[in-house]
Amino acid sequence: MKYSAEINKRKTFGIISHPDAGKTTLTEKLLLFGGAIKTAGAVKSNKIKKTAASDFMEIERQRGISVATSVMSFEYQDHLINLLDTPGHKDFAEDTYRTLTAVDSVILVIDSVNGVEEQTKRLTEVCRMRDTPIIIFINKLDLEGRDPFDLLDELESHLNIKVRPLSWPINRGKSFKGVYNLHTHDLNLFEANKTKMSTEVVSFEDLNNPVLDEILGADADQLREDVELVDGVYEEIDREDYLSGKIAPVFFGSAVNNFGVKEMLDTFVELAPTPLPRPSTIGLIDPYQEKFSGFIFKIHANLDPNHRDRIAFLRICSGKFERNKFFHHTRLNKEVRFNNPYSFLAREKSRIEEAYPGDVIGLYDTGSFKIGDTLTEGADYEFQGIPSFSPEIFREVINTDPMKSKQLEKGVRQLTDEGVAQLFIQQPGSKKIIGTVGELQFEVIRYRLNNEYGASCNLVPKNFHKACWITTSNDKQLDEFIRLKASEVAFDKDDNPVFLAPSAWMLQMAQENYPELKFHFTSEFKTSSEA
Ligand code: G4P
């Protein structure tokens, strides 16, 4: 296994959270520990607090081709850590779901005041579909948040995962005193400090040591009681159970005060998986196999009209990527090579000569990539498991400038290939229906069609409830369904039939009337996603 030393060094993960739980703040602190940045405040939030397209455009313009914030690589201890950024805004959830296909584990941030929130649930569901290992960071302990035991109960019941605290908070809010590390038996005393790591750590193998009372006063007994309860109620972490996504270690802290973050990072590098195998059309692709492979999970457009190229993000799954070497683009059945591949170490975008499994690199693209495309060293297979999820808002594209119909066609195709939205084609007449999870994307689409392609259109609302991918072994029943429901059936980018159900009730009726058709809320067709 030629590249095993390189592979074993790497940990590729993402941070997920409901907006405002503290993802950006935690990212910054992790980069601080990794030496990738020197001072706090260096990570510009890329989230969009207001749902205005103009804000989004402004942020995108400022970011321009500098996509360094999409991947942040840093070294910590002997590890090379690749942190993939996920957009905070809920309208871009689909982008986050896809990024999750390129990570090997996640850190989930929970706001201790709000507990489990809507996006927390959705994102965890996506992780659970792939059994992605999860570490949980309960943040904002400096605020008057909820009782830690209640929070743990809520995590277990709402997220369908077992939890095991590895650190325990001593009080919270104004009287927050610190955390006790249940793993290393260290007591870490809280001091609000936004730029440095906390240093006041006292080792307490035995919590009955009277020094604990001197330090914590009346809180010492409460800590003893809590720790006894935790040890009695929660089972020990079994690494295999963590790796298969069954149990999540939990840490408590305050990201903005840089507190409790190092404990979590140290455990993360110890527990989190090195690059994992990925499912493909020919079975699992092992990262240690010598032949190169990888897939595109994100495409970042350049909004500067003078530089129309895009950057495609490639997750390397096996073998070694080399600059200027020919690789096989399996969808196009074409050999391609890259003169200027980029990596993002220490937030510097720099040209690389080679890269290994777990790495994410940026490739300049002039339009030959779609989300989900596979590159190999010659073999003909494709990576799987980069699903589309049912959009929630649908609009039909009506051309308003007949002279520019070609441009509109091209623009809609390219934007949907980039994953900005999903495209469904409806017959007769090849009507284009665009589906998104948020209103913001429609503004982005309209703006970009106009600015980048010179096309203009109306986006007419369609009253569909969900898009459900249809599978069956009864082709006759499918044909009949497609014929009778022509106005509610469309085809996705890969020509799979999709039922655009007008309402939950109509979906239920279809299920009852066509028992041999299966309707799925994601294009991955897992039984768990069945409607
Ligand atoms: P996000 O990326 O998950 O959306 O959250 P982000 O890190 O931007 O944090 C959201 C808000 O929560 C920020 O405040 C941030 O400072 C605050 N925050 C993060 N961690 C903690 C913590 O441990 N304790 C407390 N009390 N607050 C925390 P903001 O007012 O929205 O922005 P800013 O002006 O402070 O940057």
Side-chain angles (χ1 to χ4, degrees), residues 17 20-25 47 49 139-140 142-143 254-256:
S17 76
D20 275 345
K23 183 172 72 70
T24 313
T25 314
K47 70 195 157 143
K49 291 214 165 170
N139 191 27
K140 307 196 185 178
D142 58 318
L143 300 181
S254 166
V256 78

